[in-house]
């Protein structure tokens, strides 16, 4: 009883410690005064100052944001359209398309990256930021589908049909009735795609043109020439941003459900 | 009868290899309350969806006021639907839901406001205009769904099992509400249900469907009292369906005993099915009726007792306000008027049974 509950807590604490200790170490070191890895010499924010002054880092940050925004927007549109089309297919075609959608999720990043690069080169497409964006759209779509599809299934066809029945054109029915119901799923899909794009190193590494760096490829490059604590500061910021986005996406997709549940409970 | 509103002409529809509706023709008049009644999978909902424009028939035509609307999309049909799951729009208030159709047809603000008030009053929901869809009960959502449909003043209202999700008490209340609404508004209702009691209570015309065919069509009384085949007899209420043969006009042989009846035109010595409703079986003292038997089961149902009586090798279902204990010897008699004769279905199974005999 009591002994067990203590054991449970210790077990949880150990798991969480192992999961987050490395990131905590990194965060702590990013505030370290000196540049040695293992020794705490005092609190300082000067690595953060250095980071914001570093043109390479700011350039990579800008690229990362542009790539993530464009690929998240495009993959959200494509993924949502895909989800809307699925119920219209017969069950056989539907499972074929869903399987096709899941393969990029399971495929090793290195294979995806390498094959995309080969294809771009084979078709004579110069590697640039554009090719990175195309590549990111490719691997982001499945995440959008994963997050939008449950909403589409939950909604079903009746709301759409009800709107048509009341005289709405298919267009009006979609924008006034269907889209508002899918909003939370679409938004969390967008955030998911954005996060995946920011996070990616391997695919970016293979598909980027000369001189194009995102945060992850730049950090990797710096690691090879000798790591500087500015990278710790940068990594800390990347982690915090991704962490916030993930929480936001969870809160948003969970919110509509809990609001409904609460309203039900109140009535 | 008043003029024709909807005509279905030779409608067929299949999903893959499964035939849902087979060459169905049906005429619906103005201001009629028509119920499509049948077990699930009988094609009743598909028929409704074809009238609503949500499904295309594989062949056949749908006429609305004499005009062919087979290929007209739902948003251009002068009818509205109350869906099984209400399908209220959760991102809008009750009032916005009701206003949806009117806003699309670009009615004035004043007109819309008046109509919302009128529709909410009609379904006894005046105080709910600004509530959210999630904050009201299933019965209330149903009322809103009806209000949302009728504010558009359709000529025809389609209702797809609208009371299916409600509890018994609420369902009975809503049945009366629907009849009242229909009489107040003077619009035609096509109502789909699998609940025979609902169908008999509300309809002017009941269309009994099974396996994509219309089995029988008529007033609730005629469907109940004069079922044309064993399916209708068994589906509408409880009944005793007993094999027998027509000795001559107005005389039928049931289980070896001759009963007077009122049907004629079946020929002489023709095998038939005899339908006797359980409430029409009269129990008496042994020897006083047409045949004797023994009570084998009895349960109390509230309004009446339901008994099973073994007589002439057949287990008769009997409903009576007077209970007889299990094991008691009783006699059975039936008023000639309450014996309904049906042709035997000409199926192979029946042939086989005949050969065995």
């Amino acid at each position: 009883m009591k002994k067990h509950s203590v054991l449970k807590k210790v077990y949880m604490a150990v798991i969480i410690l192992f999961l987050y200790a490395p990131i905590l170490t990194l965060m702590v070191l990013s505030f370290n005064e000196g540049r040695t890895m293992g020794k705490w010499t005092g609190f300082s924010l000067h690595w953060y100052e250095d980071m914001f002054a570093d043109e390479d880092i700011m350039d990579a940050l800008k690229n990362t944001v542009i790539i993530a925004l464009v690929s998240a927007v495009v993959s959200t549109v494509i993924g949502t359209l895909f989800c809307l089309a699925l119920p219209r297919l017969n069950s056989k075609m539907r499972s074929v398309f869903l399987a096709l959608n899941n393969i990029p999720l399971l495929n090793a990043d290195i294979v995806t990256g390498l094959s995309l690069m080969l294809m771009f080169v084979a078709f004579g497409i110069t590697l640039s930021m554009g090719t990175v964006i195309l590549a990111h759209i490719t691997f982001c779509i499945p995440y959008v589908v994963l997050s939008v599809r449950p909403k589409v299934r939950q909604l079903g066809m009746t709301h759409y049909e009800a709107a048509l029945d009341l005289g709405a054109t298919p267009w009006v029915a979609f924008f006034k009735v269907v889209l508002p119901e899918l909003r939370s799923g679409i938004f969390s899909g967008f955030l998911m795609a954005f996060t995946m794009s920011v996070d990616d190193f391997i695919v970016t590494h293979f598909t980027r043109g000369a001189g194009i760096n995102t945060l992850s490829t730049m950090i990797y490059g710096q690691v090879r020439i000798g790591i500087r604590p500015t990278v710790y500061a940068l990594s800390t910021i990347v982690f915090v941003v991704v962490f916030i986005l993930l929480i936001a996406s969870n809160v948003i997709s969970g919110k509509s459900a809990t609001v409904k549940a609460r309203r039900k409970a109140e009535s | 009868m008043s003029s024709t509103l909807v005509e279905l002409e030779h409608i067929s529809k299949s999903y893959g290899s499964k035939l849902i509706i087979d060459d169905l023709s049906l005429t619906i008049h103005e201001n009629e309350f028509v119920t499509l009644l049948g077990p699930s999978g009988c094609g009743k909902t598909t028929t409704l969806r074809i009238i609503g424009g949500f499904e295309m028939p594989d062949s056949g035509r749908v006429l609305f006021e004499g005009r062919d609307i087979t290929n007209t999309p739902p948003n251009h049909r002068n009818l509205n639907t109350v869906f099984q799951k209400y399908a209220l729009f959760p991102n809008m208030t009750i009032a916005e839901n009701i206003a949806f159709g009117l806003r699309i047809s670009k009615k004035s603000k004043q007109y819309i406001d008046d109509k919302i008030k009128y529709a909410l009053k009609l379904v006894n929901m005046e105080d709910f205009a600004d509530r959210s869809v999630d904050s009201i009960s299933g019965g209330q959502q149903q009322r809103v769904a009806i209000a949302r449909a009728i504010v558009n003043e359709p000529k025809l209202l389609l209702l797809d099992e609208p009371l299916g999700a409600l509890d018994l008490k609420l369902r009975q209340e809503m049945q009366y509400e629907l009849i009242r609404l229909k009489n107040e508004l003077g619009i035609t209702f096509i109502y789909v249900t699998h609940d025979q009691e609902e169908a008999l209570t509300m309809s002017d015309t009941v269309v009994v469907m099974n396996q994509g065919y219309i089995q029988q069509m008529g007033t609730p009384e005629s469907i109940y009292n004069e079922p044309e085949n064993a399916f209708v007899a068994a589906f509408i209420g409880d009944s005793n369906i007993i094999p027998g043969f027509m000795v001559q006009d107005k005389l039928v042989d049931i289980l070896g005993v001759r009963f007077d009846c009122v049907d004629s035109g079946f020929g002489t010595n023709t095998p038939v099915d005899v339908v006797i409703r359980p409430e029409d079986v009269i129990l008496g003292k042994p020897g006083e009726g047409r045949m004797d038997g023994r009570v084998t089961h009895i349960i109390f149902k509230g309004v009446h007792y339901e008994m099973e009586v073994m007589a002439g090798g057949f287990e008769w279902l009997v409903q009576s306000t007077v209970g007889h204990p299990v094991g008691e010897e009783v006699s059975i008699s039936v008023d000639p008027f309450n014996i309904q004769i049906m042709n035997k279905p000409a199926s192979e199974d029946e042939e086989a049974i005949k050969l065995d005999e």
Side-chain angles (χ1 to χ4, degrees), chain A residues 158-159 161-170 172 176-177 180-181 260 263-264 267, chain B residues 49 54 74-75 79-81 83 87-92 100-101 104 134-135 148 152:
Chain A
T158 37
H159 287 83
E161 286 181 349
L164 291 186
D165 186 76
L166 294 166
T169 58
V172 171
K176 288 246 158 128
V177 173
E181 292 306 302
K260 271 182 190 162
R263 278 178 181 167
K264 280 245 164 70
S267 67
Chain B
R49 287 174 62 80
F54 304 114
N75 47 323
L79 52 85
N80 286 109
T81 308
F83 292 87
L88 297 180
F89 308 134
N91 59 319
M92 303 176 197
F100 190 85
I104 280 166
D134 298 316
S135 70
R148 184 178 70 175
N152 304 292

Short mmCIF file of all heavy atoms in Angstrom, two decimals, chain A residues 158-159 161-170 172 176-177 180-181 260 263-264 267, chain B residues 49 54 74-75 79-81 83 87-92 100-101 104 134-135 148 152:
data_model
loop_
_atom_site.label_atom_id
_atom_site.label_comp_id
_atom_site.label_asym_id
_atom_site.label_seq_id
_atom_site.Cartn_x
_atom_site.Cartn_y
_atom_site.Cartn_z
N THR A 158 -23.18 13.98 -42.33
CA THR A 158 -24.53 14.50 -42.12
C THR A 158 -24.57 16.02 -42.01
O THR A 158 -25.51 16.64 -42.50
CB THR A 158 -25.22 13.91 -40.87
OG1 THR A 158 -24.25 13.74 -39.87
CG2 THR A 158 -25.89 12.60 -41.20
N HIS A 159 -23.55 16.64 -41.38
CA HIS A 159 -23.59 18.09 -41.25
C HIS A 159 -23.51 18.75 -42.62
O HIS A 159 -24.22 19.72 -42.90
CB HIS A 159 -22.44 18.59 -40.36
CG HIS A 159 -22.66 18.27 -38.92
ND1 HIS A 159 -22.35 17.06 -38.38
CD2 HIS A 159 -23.19 19.01 -37.92
CE1 HIS A 159 -22.68 17.06 -37.10
NE2 HIS A 159 -23.18 18.22 -36.79
N GLU A 161 -24.41 17.36 -45.45
CA GLU A 161 -25.68 17.11 -46.13
C GLU A 161 -26.78 18.01 -45.59
O GLU A 161 -27.63 18.50 -46.35
CB GLU A 161 -26.08 15.63 -45.99
CG GLU A 161 -25.24 14.72 -46.86
CD GLU A 161 -25.63 13.26 -46.73
OE1 GLU A 161 -26.42 12.93 -45.83
OE2 GLU A 161 -25.14 12.46 -47.55
N ALA A 162 -26.77 18.22 -44.28
CA ALA A 162 -27.79 19.09 -43.68
C ALA A 162 -27.68 20.50 -44.25
O ALA A 162 -28.68 21.15 -44.53
CB ALA A 162 -27.64 19.11 -42.17
N ALA A 163 -26.44 20.97 -44.44
CA ALA A 163 -26.25 22.32 -44.99
C ALA A 163 -26.76 22.39 -46.43
O ALA A 163 -27.44 23.34 -46.81
CB ALA A 163 -24.78 22.71 -44.92
N LEU A 164 -26.46 21.36 -47.22
CA LEU A 164 -26.97 21.31 -48.60
C LEU A 164 -28.50 21.31 -48.58
O LEU A 164 -29.15 22.00 -49.36
CB LEU A 164 -26.50 20.05 -49.32
CG LEU A 164 -25.03 19.90 -49.65
CD1 LEU A 164 -24.84 18.64 -50.49
CD2 LEU A 164 -24.51 21.10 -50.41
N ASP A 165 -29.04 20.52 -47.67
CA ASP A 165 -30.49 20.39 -47.56
C ASP A 165 -31.15 21.73 -47.29
O ASP A 165 -32.25 22.00 -47.73
CB ASP A 165 -30.80 19.41 -46.43
CG ASP A 165 -32.27 19.09 -46.34
OD1 ASP A 165 -32.73 18.32 -47.18
OD2 ASP A 165 -32.95 19.63 -45.44
N LEU A 166 -30.45 22.59 -46.55
CA LEU A 166 -30.99 23.91 -46.22
C LEU A 166 -30.69 24.93 -47.30
O LEU A 166 -30.88 26.12 -47.11
CB LEU A 166 -30.44 24.38 -44.87
CG LEU A 166 -30.91 23.52 -43.69
CD1 LEU A 166 -30.09 23.81 -42.45
CD2 LEU A 166 -32.38 23.75 -43.41
N GLY A 167 -30.17 24.46 -48.44
CA GLY A 167 -30.02 25.34 -49.59
C GLY A 167 -28.61 25.83 -49.84
O GLY A 167 -28.38 26.58 -50.78
N ALA A 168 -27.65 25.44 -48.97
CA ALA A 168 -26.28 25.91 -49.17
C ALA A 168 -25.66 25.22 -50.38
O ALA A 168 -25.92 24.05 -50.64
CB ALA A 168 -25.45 25.61 -47.93
N THR A 169 -24.81 25.96 -51.12
CA THR A 169 -24.05 25.33 -52.18
C THR A 169 -22.96 24.49 -51.51
O THR A 169 -22.64 24.73 -50.34
CB THR A 169 -23.37 26.37 -53.08
OG1 THR A 169 -22.54 27.19 -52.24
CG2 THR A 169 -24.39 27.26 -53.77
N PRO A 170 -22.39 23.52 -52.21
CA PRO A 170 -21.32 22.71 -51.60
C PRO A 170 -20.21 23.59 -51.03
O PRO A 170 -19.66 23.30 -49.97
CB PRO A 170 -20.81 21.87 -52.78
CG PRO A 170 -21.99 21.72 -53.66
CD PRO A 170 -22.74 23.03 -53.55
N VAL A 172 -20.39 26.79 -49.84
CA VAL A 172 -20.84 27.44 -48.60
C VAL A 172 -20.93 26.40 -47.48
O VAL A 172 -20.50 26.65 -46.34
CB VAL A 172 -22.20 28.12 -48.81
CG1 VAL A 172 -22.78 28.59 -47.48
CG2 VAL A 172 -22.06 29.30 -49.76
N LYS A 176 -18.86 27.10 -44.13
CA LYS A 176 -19.65 27.54 -42.97
C LYS A 176 -19.84 26.42 -41.95
O LYS A 176 -20.05 26.68 -40.77
CB LYS A 176 -21.03 28.02 -43.45
CG LYS A 176 -20.98 29.34 -44.16
CD LYS A 176 -21.69 30.39 -43.35
CE LYS A 176 -21.20 31.74 -43.74
NZ LYS A 176 -22.21 32.68 -44.08
N VAL A 177 -19.86 25.19 -42.41
CA VAL A 177 -20.25 24.09 -41.52
C VAL A 177 -19.11 23.09 -41.30
O VAL A 177 -18.80 22.74 -40.16
CB VAL A 177 -21.50 23.37 -42.07
CG1 VAL A 177 -21.81 22.13 -41.25
CG2 VAL A 177 -22.68 24.32 -42.06
N PRO A 180 -15.33 24.84 -39.87
CA PRO A 180 -15.26 25.21 -38.45
C PRO A 180 -15.12 24.00 -37.52
O PRO A 180 -14.48 24.09 -36.48
CB PRO A 180 -16.61 25.92 -38.20
CG PRO A 180 -17.03 26.42 -39.52
CD PRO A 180 -16.52 25.43 -40.52
N GLU A 181 -15.72 22.88 -37.93
CA GLU A 181 -15.64 21.70 -37.08
C GLU A 181 -14.26 21.03 -37.16
O GLU A 181 -13.87 20.29 -36.27
CB GLU A 181 -16.72 20.69 -37.50
CG GLU A 181 -18.12 21.15 -37.21
CD GLU A 181 -18.29 21.55 -35.76
OE1 GLU A 181 -18.05 20.72 -34.89
OE2 GLU A 181 -18.64 22.72 -35.51
N LYS A 260 -16.71 20.31 -24.82
CA LYS A 260 -17.97 19.60 -25.05
C LYS A 260 -18.35 18.78 -23.84
O LYS A 260 -19.49 18.78 -23.41
CB LYS A 260 -17.86 18.71 -26.29
CG LYS A 260 -18.26 19.47 -27.52
CD LYS A 260 -18.21 18.61 -28.74
CE LYS A 260 -18.40 19.51 -29.96
NZ LYS A 260 -17.98 18.91 -31.17
N ARG A 263 -19.60 20.99 -21.08
CA ARG A 263 -20.94 21.50 -21.34
C ARG A 263 -21.98 20.43 -21.08
O ARG A 263 -23.03 20.68 -20.52
CB ARG A 263 -21.06 21.97 -22.79
CG ARG A 263 -20.50 23.35 -22.99
CD ARG A 263 -20.61 23.72 -24.43
NE ARG A 263 -20.07 25.04 -24.69
CZ ARG A 263 -19.82 25.49 -25.90
NH1 ARG A 263 -20.06 24.73 -26.94
NH2 ARG A 263 -19.34 26.69 -26.09
N LYS A 264 -21.65 19.20 -21.51
CA LYS A 264 -22.57 18.08 -21.28
C LYS A 264 -22.80 17.91 -19.79
O LYS A 264 -23.92 17.74 -19.34
CB LYS A 264 -21.97 16.79 -21.86
CG LYS A 264 -22.16 16.69 -23.35
CD LYS A 264 -23.06 15.52 -23.70
CE LYS A 264 -23.57 15.66 -25.13
NZ LYS A 264 -22.51 15.45 -26.11
N SER A 267 -25.09 20.57 -18.27
CA SER A 267 -26.51 20.60 -18.64
C SER A 267 -27.29 19.49 -17.96
O SER A 267 -26.76 18.56 -17.44
CB SER A 267 -26.67 20.49 -20.16
OG SER A 267 -26.25 19.22 -20.59
N ARG B 49 -33.38 9.16 -49.00
CA ARG B 49 -32.20 9.91 -49.44
C ARG B 49 -32.25 10.20 -50.95
O ARG B 49 -31.71 11.20 -51.40
CB ARG B 49 -30.92 9.14 -49.09
CG ARG B 49 -30.62 9.18 -47.58
CD ARG B 49 -29.44 8.31 -47.21
NE ARG B 49 -28.21 8.75 -47.86
CZ ARG B 49 -27.47 9.77 -47.43
NH1 ARG B 49 -27.82 10.43 -46.36
NH2 ARG B 49 -26.37 10.10 -48.06
N PHE B 54 -29.65 13.07 -51.87
CA PHE B 54 -28.33 12.68 -51.38
C PHE B 54 -27.82 11.41 -52.03
O PHE B 54 -26.66 11.05 -51.89
CB PHE B 54 -28.36 12.50 -49.86
CG PHE B 54 -28.85 13.72 -49.15
CD1 PHE B 54 -30.04 13.72 -48.46
CD2 PHE B 54 -28.11 14.90 -49.20
CE1 PHE B 54 -30.51 14.86 -47.83
CE2 PHE B 54 -28.55 16.04 -48.58
CZ PHE B 54 -29.76 16.01 -47.89
N PRO B 74 -29.40 18.54 -53.87
CA PRO B 74 -30.27 18.77 -52.72
C PRO B 74 -30.55 20.25 -52.46
O PRO B 74 -31.65 20.60 -52.04
CB PRO B 74 -29.51 18.17 -51.54
CG PRO B 74 -28.31 17.49 -52.09
CD PRO B 74 -28.25 17.69 -53.55
N ASN B 75 -29.54 21.12 -52.71
CA ASN B 75 -29.74 22.54 -52.39
C ASN B 75 -30.69 23.25 -53.35
O ASN B 75 -31.07 24.38 -53.11
CB ASN B 75 -28.39 23.28 -52.30
CG ASN B 75 -27.48 22.98 -53.45
OD1 ASN B 75 -27.42 21.85 -53.94
ND2 ASN B 75 -26.76 23.98 -53.92
N LEU B 79 -37.49 21.05 -50.56
CA LEU B 79 -37.86 20.17 -49.46
C LEU B 79 -36.77 20.25 -48.41
O LEU B 79 -35.67 20.73 -48.68
CB LEU B 79 -38.01 18.73 -49.96
CG LEU B 79 -36.87 18.11 -50.77
CD1 LEU B 79 -35.80 17.54 -49.88
CD2 LEU B 79 -37.41 17.03 -51.68
N ASN B 80 -37.07 19.85 -47.20
CA ASN B 80 -36.07 19.84 -46.14
C ASN B 80 -36.12 18.53 -45.39
O ASN B 80 -37.11 17.82 -45.41
CB ASN B 80 -36.27 21.02 -45.19
CG ASN B 80 -35.83 22.32 -45.82
OD1 ASN B 80 -36.65 23.18 -46.15
ND2 ASN B 80 -34.54 22.46 -46.03
N THR B 81 -34.98 18.23 -44.73
CA THR B 81 -34.83 16.94 -44.08
C THR B 81 -34.55 17.13 -42.59
O THR B 81 -33.81 18.03 -42.22
CB THR B 81 -33.66 16.17 -44.72
OG1 THR B 81 -33.85 16.15 -46.13
CG2 THR B 81 -33.59 14.75 -44.19
N PHE B 83 -32.68 15.02 -39.93
CA PHE B 83 -31.80 13.85 -39.97
C PHE B 83 -31.89 13.04 -38.68
O PHE B 83 -32.25 13.56 -37.62
CB PHE B 83 -30.36 14.30 -40.20
CG PHE B 83 -30.12 14.86 -41.56
CD1 PHE B 83 -30.34 16.19 -41.83
CD2 PHE B 83 -29.69 14.03 -42.58
CE1 PHE B 83 -30.13 16.71 -43.10
CE2 PHE B 83 -29.48 14.54 -43.85
CZ PHE B 83 -29.70 15.88 -44.10
N ALA B 87 -27.99 16.47 -36.71
CA ALA B 87 -27.05 17.23 -37.54
C ALA B 87 -27.17 18.73 -37.34
O ALA B 87 -27.11 19.50 -38.28
CB ALA B 87 -27.22 16.87 -39.03
N LEU B 88 -27.34 19.16 -36.09
CA LEU B 88 -27.28 20.60 -35.82
C LEU B 88 -25.83 21.04 -35.94
O LEU B 88 -24.92 20.25 -35.68
CB LEU B 88 -27.80 20.88 -34.41
CG LEU B 88 -29.26 20.52 -34.17
CD1 LEU B 88 -29.66 20.86 -32.75
CD2 LEU B 88 -30.17 21.24 -35.16
N PHE B 89 -25.64 22.31 -36.33
CA PHE B 89 -24.28 22.80 -36.50
C PHE B 89 -23.74 23.27 -35.15
O PHE B 89 -24.23 24.26 -34.60
CB PHE B 89 -24.25 23.93 -37.52
CG PHE B 89 -24.92 23.57 -38.82
CD1 PHE B 89 -25.80 24.44 -39.43
CD2 PHE B 89 -24.68 22.33 -39.43
CE1 PHE B 89 -26.43 24.10 -40.63
CE2 PHE B 89 -25.30 21.99 -40.61
CZ PHE B 89 -26.18 22.87 -41.20
N PRO B 90 -22.71 22.59 -34.62
CA PRO B 90 -22.27 22.90 -33.25
C PRO B 90 -21.57 24.25 -33.12
O PRO B 90 -21.47 24.77 -32.01
CB PRO B 90 -21.28 21.77 -32.92
CG PRO B 90 -21.14 20.94 -34.14
CD PRO B 90 -21.97 21.51 -35.24
N ASN B 91 -21.11 24.81 -34.24
CA ASN B 91 -20.42 26.10 -34.13
C ASN B 91 -21.39 27.28 -34.16
O ASN B 91 -20.99 28.43 -34.21
CB ASN B 91 -19.40 26.24 -35.27
CG ASN B 91 -20.04 26.16 -36.64
OD1 ASN B 91 -20.93 25.35 -36.87
ND2 ASN B 91 -19.63 27.02 -37.55
N MET B 92 -22.70 26.98 -34.15
CA MET B 92 -23.69 28.06 -34.18
C MET B 92 -24.65 27.90 -33.01
O MET B 92 -24.86 26.80 -32.52
CB MET B 92 -24.51 27.98 -35.48
CG MET B 92 -23.66 28.04 -36.73
SD MET B 92 -24.70 27.82 -38.18
CE MET B 92 -23.45 27.41 -39.40
N PHE B 100 -30.04 29.45 -40.62
CA PHE B 100 -29.09 29.06 -41.67
C PHE B 100 -29.70 29.07 -43.07
O PHE B 100 -29.19 29.73 -43.98
CB PHE B 100 -28.51 27.67 -41.36
CG PHE B 100 -27.37 27.27 -42.23
CD1 PHE B 100 -26.07 27.67 -41.92
CD2 PHE B 100 -27.57 26.50 -43.37
CE1 PHE B 100 -25.01 27.29 -42.73
CE2 PHE B 100 -26.51 26.13 -44.18
CZ PHE B 100 -25.22 26.53 -43.85
N GLY B 101 -30.82 28.37 -43.22
CA GLY B 101 -31.46 28.28 -44.54
C GLY B 101 -31.97 29.63 -45.02
O GLY B 101 -31.87 29.96 -46.20
N ILE B 104 -29.21 31.88 -46.26
CA ILE B 104 -28.74 31.48 -47.58
C ILE B 104 -29.70 31.98 -48.66
O ILE B 104 -29.28 32.43 -49.72
CB ILE B 104 -28.53 29.96 -47.63
CG1 ILE B 104 -27.19 29.66 -46.99
CG2 ILE B 104 -28.58 29.43 -49.06
CD1 ILE B 104 -26.96 28.26 -46.65
N ASP B 134 -24.64 22.18 -27.80
CA ASP B 134 -24.20 21.17 -26.84
C ASP B 134 -24.90 21.27 -25.50
O ASP B 134 -24.83 20.36 -24.70
CB ASP B 134 -22.69 21.31 -26.58
CG ASP B 134 -21.91 21.08 -27.84
OD1 ASP B 134 -22.25 20.12 -28.55
OD2 ASP B 134 -20.98 21.85 -28.11
N SER B 135 -25.55 22.41 -25.25
CA SER B 135 -26.09 22.61 -23.91
C SER B 135 -27.53 22.15 -23.77
O SER B 135 -28.13 22.32 -22.73
CB SER B 135 -25.98 24.10 -23.53
OG SER B 135 -26.90 24.84 -24.30
N ARG B 148 -35.51 24.09 -37.61
CA ARG B 148 -34.57 24.53 -38.64
C ARG B 148 -35.06 24.14 -40.03
O ARG B 148 -34.86 24.87 -41.01
CB ARG B 148 -33.20 23.90 -38.38
CG ARG B 148 -32.13 24.35 -39.33
CD ARG B 148 -30.80 23.76 -39.00
NE ARG B 148 -30.77 22.32 -39.27
CZ ARG B 148 -29.67 21.58 -39.16
NH1 ARG B 148 -28.54 22.12 -38.77
NH2 ARG B 148 -29.71 20.29 -39.42
N ASN B 152 -38.00 27.12 -43.47
CA ASN B 152 -37.80 27.36 -44.90
C ASN B 152 -39.07 27.14 -45.71
O ASN B 152 -39.06 27.25 -46.92
CB ASN B 152 -36.69 26.46 -45.42
CG ASN B 152 -35.41 26.65 -44.65
OD1 ASN B 152 -34.80 27.70 -44.72
ND2 ASN B 152 -35.04 25.66 -43.85
#
